């Protein structure tokens, strides 16, 4: 604010044609120009959340186009086939992308990949920021307070430094109630690798060593996080509504994906740690290995029965219109009667010919 000995309420003199300076607090000011986001960035955000969180999009596109050129795909390894499946899903997700890539020079192709990567990275950063605050509310018992208090925007007091977050992050199979185990986790003598899954993934945070699938990836904490990211933050404590316009609805997502479950689990786990910056190469949080290990299990053909049950459970939790049961018209309903009359008419037409 400019300093002057003159009356501050006085209107500054303006010569003819001179533009007024910055508008004051009691003026609406110039209208901001609307910013537009490239559609590829928009699709990239959903790609990172629902298809693959940590992939290098430029490499994915380069290899994917190479795989497309080999129609037999006989020489592809299991890893190549998995990568190609992710590429095909990207093409399916982004309208016109395949034709655009086929017609693009290398420079344009790099630009396309950069925009999709920007969306994926941006969504992950936004979700990490939002989860940092929200997770504190979810792990605080209703009507009670955490002791010691965990600030919503500070991470230094989390991880194995706090009783509540430490108990949730404790690897399944280890006893957080054992003082020696707890001490070693706090000091770092025991490092929880990415494929040592924490009990927070389990329903009621209870792990059964005799039945390790029991309750896996069904915790209330994960459901809250999924709703926060894919439906809307306000939907966490409410019944799901088909009319809610969250990220899932915006992108036409009508059922969960394996990658979306792994993504949510990764975000929750990181939010509970004391790590300040989300980094795929951080060997302490080991987030990329954690994410990949969950996806590896969910993609294992030998686990298909358990995985199908898990996906059905998730869809019922977060998508109110989802049904895995074939629905027939109610008996004696108008719809049933219309279909019956149509069948009678078609049968009459067939006999007449």
């Amino acid at each position: 604010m400019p300093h002057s000995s003159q009356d501050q309420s006085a209107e500054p003199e303006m010569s003819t044609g001179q533009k007024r300076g910055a508008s004051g607090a009691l003026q609406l000011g110039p209208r901001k120009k609307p910013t537009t986001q490239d559609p590829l960035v928009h699709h990239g955000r959903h790609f990172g959340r629902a298809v693959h969180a940590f992939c290098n999009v430029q490499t994915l596109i380069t290899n994917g186009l190479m795989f497309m050129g080999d129609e037999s795909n006989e020489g592809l390894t299991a890893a190549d086939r998995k990568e190609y499946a992710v590429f095909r899903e990207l093409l399916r997700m982004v309208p016109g992308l395949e034709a655009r890539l086929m017609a693009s020079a290398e420079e344009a192709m790099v630009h396309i990949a950069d925009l999709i990567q920007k969306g994926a990275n941006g969504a992950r950063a936004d979700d990490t920021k939002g989860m940092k605050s929200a997770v504190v509310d979810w792990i605080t018992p209703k009507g009670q307070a955490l002791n010691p208090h965990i600030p919503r925007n500070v991470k230094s007091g989390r991880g194995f430094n706090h009783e509540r977050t430490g108990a949730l992050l404790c690897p399944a199979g280890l006893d957080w109630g054992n003082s020696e185990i707890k001490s070693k986790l706090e000091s770092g003598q025991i490092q929880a690798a990415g494929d040592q899954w924490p009990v927070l993934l389990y329903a009621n945070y209870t792990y059964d060593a005799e039945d390790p699938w029991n309750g896996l990836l069904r915790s209330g904490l994960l459901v809250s996080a999924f709703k926060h990211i894919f439906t809307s933050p306000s939907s966490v404590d409410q019944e799901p509504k088909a009319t809610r316009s969250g990220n899932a609805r915006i992108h036409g997502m009508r059922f969960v994906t394996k990658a979306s479950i792994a993504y949510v689990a990764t975000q929750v786990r990181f939010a509970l740690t004391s790590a300040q910056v989300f980094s795929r190469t951080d060997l302490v949080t080991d987030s990329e290995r954690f994410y990949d290990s969950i996806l590896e299990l969910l993609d294992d053909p030998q686990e298909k029965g358990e995985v199908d049950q898990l996906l059905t459970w998730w869809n019922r939790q977060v998508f109110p219109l989802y049904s895995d049961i074939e629905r027939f018209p109610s008996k004696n309903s108008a719809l049933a009667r219309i279909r019956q009359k149509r069948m009678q008419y078609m049968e009459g037409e067939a006999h007449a010919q």
Side-chain angles (χ1 to χ4, degrees):
M1 197 168 181
H3 296 283
S4 171
S5 59
Q6 297 177 348
D7 183 0
Q8 294 296 314
S9 65
E11 183 79 5
E13 295 182 6
M14 298 180 67
S15 58
T16 304
Q18 183 179 353
K19 292 183 179 180
R20 185 183 298 276
S23 51
L26 301 182
Q27 295 173 307
L28 185 59
R31 179 178 296 175
K32 291 183 178 179
K33 293 182 179 179
T35 57
T36 56
Q37 184 184 74
D38 190 289
L40 289 175
V41 177
H42 171 74
H43 289 296
R45 292 179 68 84
H46 190 58
F47 173 79
R49 288 168 170 150
V51 180
H52 206 286
F54 294 108
C55 97
N56 182 314
V57 178
Q58 187 171 326
T59 303
L60 180 75
I61 289 176
T62 300
N63 292 349
L65 291 173
M66 181 177 63
F67 296 151
M68 282 181 71
D70 180 10
E71 295 183 2
S72 66
N73 289 335
E74 292 180 357
L76 298 187
T77 64
D80 290 338
R81 292 180 186 280
K82 183 177 180 180
E83 185 177 326
Y84 188 43
V86 172
F87 174 69
R88 297 299 308 183
E89 184 60 23
L90 176 62
L91 296 184
R92 187 201 64 78
M93 178 182 288
V94 184
L97 179 59
E98 182 173 349
R100 186 171 171 183
L101 288 173
M102 291 299 192
S104 295
E106 184 176 354
E107 186 176 344
M109 208 176 296
V110 170
H111 180 63
I112 290 170
D114 286 346
L115 290 173
I116 296 171
Q117 190 79 65
K118 178 182 178 182
N121 294 348
R124 186 168 68 244
D126 290 346
D127 294 336
T128 300
K129 182 179 179 181
M131 200 69 64
K132 179 168 69 172
S133 300
V135 78
V136 177
D137 297 332
W138 302 334
I139 66 173
T140 303
K142 289 186 178 180
Q144 301 179 39
L146 293 175
N147 184 24
H149 170 70
I150 296 180
R152 290 168 58 84
N153 290 310
V154 178
K155 296 201 69 186
S156 56
R158 305 186 191 189
F160 296 117
N161 301 314
H162 194 282
E163 178 65 28
R164 180 62 173 154
T165 54
L168 292 169
L169 289 168
C170 183
L174 296 184
D175 182 8
W176 178 251
N178 182 309
S179 58
E180 184 180 354
I181 294 292
K182 183 186 294 187
S183 176
K184 288 182 177 180
L185 285 168
E186 290 173 348
S187 66
Q189 282 183 271
I190 296 179
Q191 288 282 344
D195 57 358
Q196 283 185 293
W197 296 341
V199 294
L200 71 89
L201 301 187
Y202 282 88
N204 302 315
Y205 314 124
T206 303
Y207 169 68
D208 181 358
E210 298 302 316
D211 184 8
W213 257 112
N214 184 22
L216 178 61
L217 296 169
R218 288 177 168 89
S219 76
L221 194 53
L222 295 185
V223 174
S224 293
F226 193 102
K227 291 179 178 179
H228 185 276
I229 293 172
F230 287 97
T231 307
S232 74
S234 63
S235 73
V236 173
D237 298 319
Q238 303 171 10
E239 288 297 316
K241 297 179 181 178
T243 55
R244 196 177 300 282
S245 296
N247 288 319
R249 186 173 177 83
I250 289 170
H251 293 277
M253 185 182 186
R254 297 185 299 276
F255 49 84
V256 299
T257 63
K258 298 169 186 176
S260 65
I261 297 173
Y263 178 78
V264 165
T266 303
Q267 285 285 4
V268 171
R269 177 176 176 267
F270 180 78
L272 293 173
T273 69
S274 58
Q276 301 292 334
V277 180
F278 192 112
S279 171
R280 59 184 295 181
T281 57
D282 181 359
L283 296 179
V284 176
T285 57
D286 209 8
S287 292
E288 186 171 11
R289 185 179 178 188
F290 175 75
Y291 175 86
D292 287 341
S293 65
I294 293 177
L295 265 189
E296 184 178 333
L297 175 73
L298 299 183
D299 285 335
D300 187 342
Q302 294 184 336
E303 305 292 343
K304 186 179 186 303
E306 295 285 359
V307 173
D308 287 347
Q309 290 180 36
L310 176 68
L311 295 176
T312 298
W313 181 90
W314 266 100
N315 286 323
R316 289 172 176 168
Q317 301 301 310
V318 297
F319 292 109
L321 297 184
Y322 173 82
S323 175
D324 59 336
I325 303 171
E326 186 177 359
R327 293 185 180 273
F328 296 97
S330 300
K331 190 176 181 181
N332 299 325
S333 69
L335 175 58
R337 186 63 179 156
I338 288 171
R339 290 184 174 172
Q340 182 184 10
K341 296 294 287 184
R342 171 60 61 186
M343 288 295 294
Q344 291 174 353
Y345 174 78
M346 292 173 67
E347 288 172 1
E349 286 283 297
H351 287 308
Q353 292 178 358

